[in-house]
Amino acid sequence: MKREHPTAFSCASSNKHPTMVVSSFSRLFLISCVAQRNIASSPVQAFFASNQVPTIPLHQMHHRRLSSSAVAATTSTRDDGDAFRILCLHGKGGNGEEFLNRLLPLRALLDDRLADEKNKSDDVFARNTSIKWEALTAPYQISGSDDACAWWTMSPGVRSFNADEYIGFDKSASNVMNAVFPNNDSSTTATECSYDLILGHSQGAILLSALLATNIDLQRSNCSYILNGAAWPNPYGKALMSLPVQQSQHEMKKDTKMLFVMGKSDNINPIESAKQVHDCYQAAGLDVSIVYHEGGHSVPNGGDVDSERALEDVCDFILQAVSGKAKE
């Protein structure tokens, strides 16, 4: 299961809304780069071989806030109304633009797979669908770096899966929910979600699991979710464990689809913690699945056969969500 794709210009927004940086990368450019390097393996392996994914070190936190920002990458210049929109939430120590770069192998693979599906499809919507990738940047800057950010802060030595409090969580939650439901101050309902899929990695996945456990609008939305390298959101554990009750009280959508991506060698957020989150959503009746890979605390990048297989599985999940939107 496999395939993906990027240029960049930016435009400042008002104080009310996050800064938007648009970054697109044409498939033709990617193919030409691979050809120039004379790499003869699969598309994902070729991309991985010619692009080093950066590693961001983790530093001591402080509380200076950054303005939130959003980054977008599109597979075409079509109107947003024809796009399948994916919101990405990076992990601690990253930022929106850096995370989209980390997702390039997945985006390239999905781009190729979508092109294949379009060639085989007689459905007008499917043939006109494009993928629009967007990412938010967390509001808290990690000291010692201008572009390493976090969704909340904690006391020294405390981890997200055992913390009693996520300091600043409300700010991050508000930023995400304002992006997902931008007109929520008026008459917006949960079905008017701005995104079709939300993908969170590490702290971004923990944030996503906590939001879904506590926000009724998100529970009722038509979104699908991917949680990569997740861990137990300890301050919101009770809400997570009460999901079966919430499901009956608030009519949480049982057909909501969630994919957990777990690295068997993850020593940052061990998969046992992610499985706890998975089990709670499964108990609530959601359509939950898992993709395992042999790697560690990272998004599969196609660097080997196992990682390519994991990317293919993730692409399958996204394409099923695209197909589901086409049938709505």
Side-chain angles (χ1 to χ4, degrees), residues 9 22 41 48 53 56 79 81-82 104 107-108 117 123 150-151 159 177 202 271 277 305 307 326:
F9 67 90
V22 179
S41 56
F48 178 76
V53 179
I56 304 296
D79 182 82
D82 297 319
L104 283 172
R107 289 165 45 203
E117 293 297 324
D123 184 270
W151 296 103
R159 297 292 307 280
M177 295 310 299
S202 191
I271 61 175
V277 182
V305 173
S307 186

Side-chain angles (χ1 to χ4, degrees), residues 84-256:
F84 183 89
R85 300 185 69 195
I86 301 176
L87 177 64
C88 304
L89 306 175
H90 64 81
K92 174 184 172 184
N95 60 67
E97 186 171 11
E98 177 268 340
F99 190 40
L100 284 183
N101 287 336
R102 285 179 182 268
L103 292 173
L104 283 172
L106 172 61
R107 289 165 45 203
L109 183 58
L110 183 61
D111 196 26
D112 285 350
R113 290 281 302 276
L114 185 62
D116 292 344
E117 293 297 324
K118 286 180 179 181
N119 290 334
K120 296 184 291 185
S121 176
D122 294 326
D123 184 270
V124 174
F125 179 91
R127 285 186 294 182
N128 290 338
T129 296
S130 61
I131 306 292
K132 182 171 184 180
W133 296 80
E134 298 181 1
L136 292 177
T137 289
Y140 302 102
Q141 186 178 17
I142 295 176
S143 62
S145 175
D146 292 333
D147 54 9
C149 304
W151 296 103
W152 52 79
T153 65
M154 295 173 292
S155 302
V158 176
R159 297 292 307 280
S160 291
F161 52 76
N162 60 21
D164 293 327
E165 178 186 13
Y166 294 163
I167 303 169
F169 176 89
D170 289 347
K171 171 68 174 177
S172 292
S174 177
N175 288 352
V176 174
M177 295 310 299
N178 286 341
V180 175
F181 299 105
N183 302 313
N184 209 36
D185 289 341
S186 56
S187 59
T188 299
T189 63
T191 55
E192 293 172 336
C193 178
S194 294
Y195 294 94
D196 302 293
L197 186 147
I198 305 177
L199 185 160
H201 167 61
S202 191
Q203 199 178 74
I206 298 171
L207 170 63
L208 180 55
S209 68
L211 288 176
L212 189 55
T214 57
N215 189 278
I216 296 174
D217 281 347
L218 202 58
Q219 292 173 1
R220 293 175 175 173
S221 76
N222 293 322
C223 255
S224 297
Y225 305 94
I226 298 176
L227 286 77
N228 186 89
W232 185 252
N234 201 52
Y236 303 91
K238 290 183 179 179
L240 203 54
M241 290 186 288
S242 70
L243 280 173
V245 176
Q246 292 186 53
Q247 199 284 328
S248 60
Q249 290 178 342
H250 307 307
E251 298 179 356
M252 187 174 181
K253 289 176 67 67
K254 280 198 170 186
D255 59 350
T256 297

